Amino acid sequence: MKTIRLLSLFALGFATLAPWAGALEKPADKTPRPVRLQLRVDLPFSMNPIRDDDIAEAFAHRVVTALHEQGFKGRIKYVENGDRVDETVPVLDVRIFEWRVNRIGHTDCVFSAALKSPRGEQNLGMFSGTSIMTWMRRDWFARADSFDDAARDALGNLKARLDATDLIEPAVTMKK
């Protein structure tokens, strides 16, 4: 009985003190980092625009992740179809041609990319990657890894091609 009273007293004390704990922290800087690159993803026409939006967003997430893993510094903003882009910030236009399982069971990822910047425009060319699909596994999430691996393979040298254009402003380094 004493244990129950003690636990309820502890819970009551925690509930009353929890709102005050946030007041003791330093306020975080709420100013967002400036966008260094905008990203648009375009897909071939299909009859299901909801699915297309999901695929475009999933691929955009992989592009952003790959660029940061390759050393891209700065914020990358995904711009959905129909949204306006900021003309003062470079735009990476990605056009997906394939991101699916082929006839022999491999996952293919093929896309082209172009960079538009206030400094100029340049076609970055075609990118392709392949991954072996693991059909023998019952887990759908493991099968989805094949799509991620194919995209990662295709995105392997995207940052190098972006850097070669010299159309993106260098990242500003913060001095302490």
Side-chain angles (χ1 to χ4, degrees):
M1 190 68 159
K2 290 182 181 180
T3 306
I4 294 174
R5 285 184 186 166
L6 185 61
L7 287 175
S8 61
L9 183 63
F10 177 72
L12 178 64
F14 181 75
T16 56
L17 293 177
W20 295 99
L24 298 176
E25 297 177 12
K26 291 181 181 178
D29 185 17
K30 298 292 183 187
T31 57
R33 295 182 306 160
V35 175
R36 188 160 171 239
L37 180 67
Q38 298 173 97
L39 171 65
R40 289 189 296 199
V41 177
D42 188 28
L43 297 167
F45 175 76
S46 84
M47 299 300 283
N48 190 346
I50 295 171
R51 182 189 65 116
D52 287 352
D53 289 344
D54 291 342
I55 292 170
E57 188 173 338
F59 195 78
H61 173 72
R62 282 160 178 83
V63 171
V64 170
T65 301
L67 285 173
H68 283 139
E69 286 175 353
Q70 294 170 20
F72 185 88
K73 303 286 188 224
R75 188 168 152 225
I76 302 172
K77 178 184 176 188
Y78 170 60
V79 181
E80 294 183 16
N81 282 338
D83 289 351
R84 295 179 55 103
V85 296
D86 183 354
E87 299 295 330
T88 63
V89 178
V91 179
L92 178 63
D93 283 315
V94 172
R95 170 95 169 122
I96 298 175
F97 295 105
E98 283 187 354
W99 196 24
R100 62 182 176 183
V101 178
N102 64 19
R103 292 180 186 149
I104 60 172
H106 297 290
T107 305
D108 292 329
C109 179
V110 180
F111 69 93
S112 67
L115 181 64
K116 297 175 187 165
S117 162
R119 295 178 167 188
E121 297 181 15
Q122 184 160 348
N123 184 358
L124 301 177
M126 297 290 292
F127 298 82
S128 67
T130 302
S131 176
I132 297 173
M133 175 64 88
T134 52
W135 285 107
M136 301 307 289
R137 300 177 98 175
R138 295 181 187 176
D139 182 10
W140 280 100
F141 295 105
R143 292 180 189 172
D145 286 343
S146 179
F147 286 88
D148 192 40
D149 292 343
R152 187 177 301 276
D153 186 29
L155 292 162
N157 65 347
L158 179 60
K159 183 180 180 300
R161 290 195 197 179
L162 283 174
D163 290 344
T165 65
D166 201 33
L167 295 176
I168 299 177
E169 294 284 333
V172 177
T173 57
M174 301 292 289
K175 294 183 180 179
K176 290 185 179 184

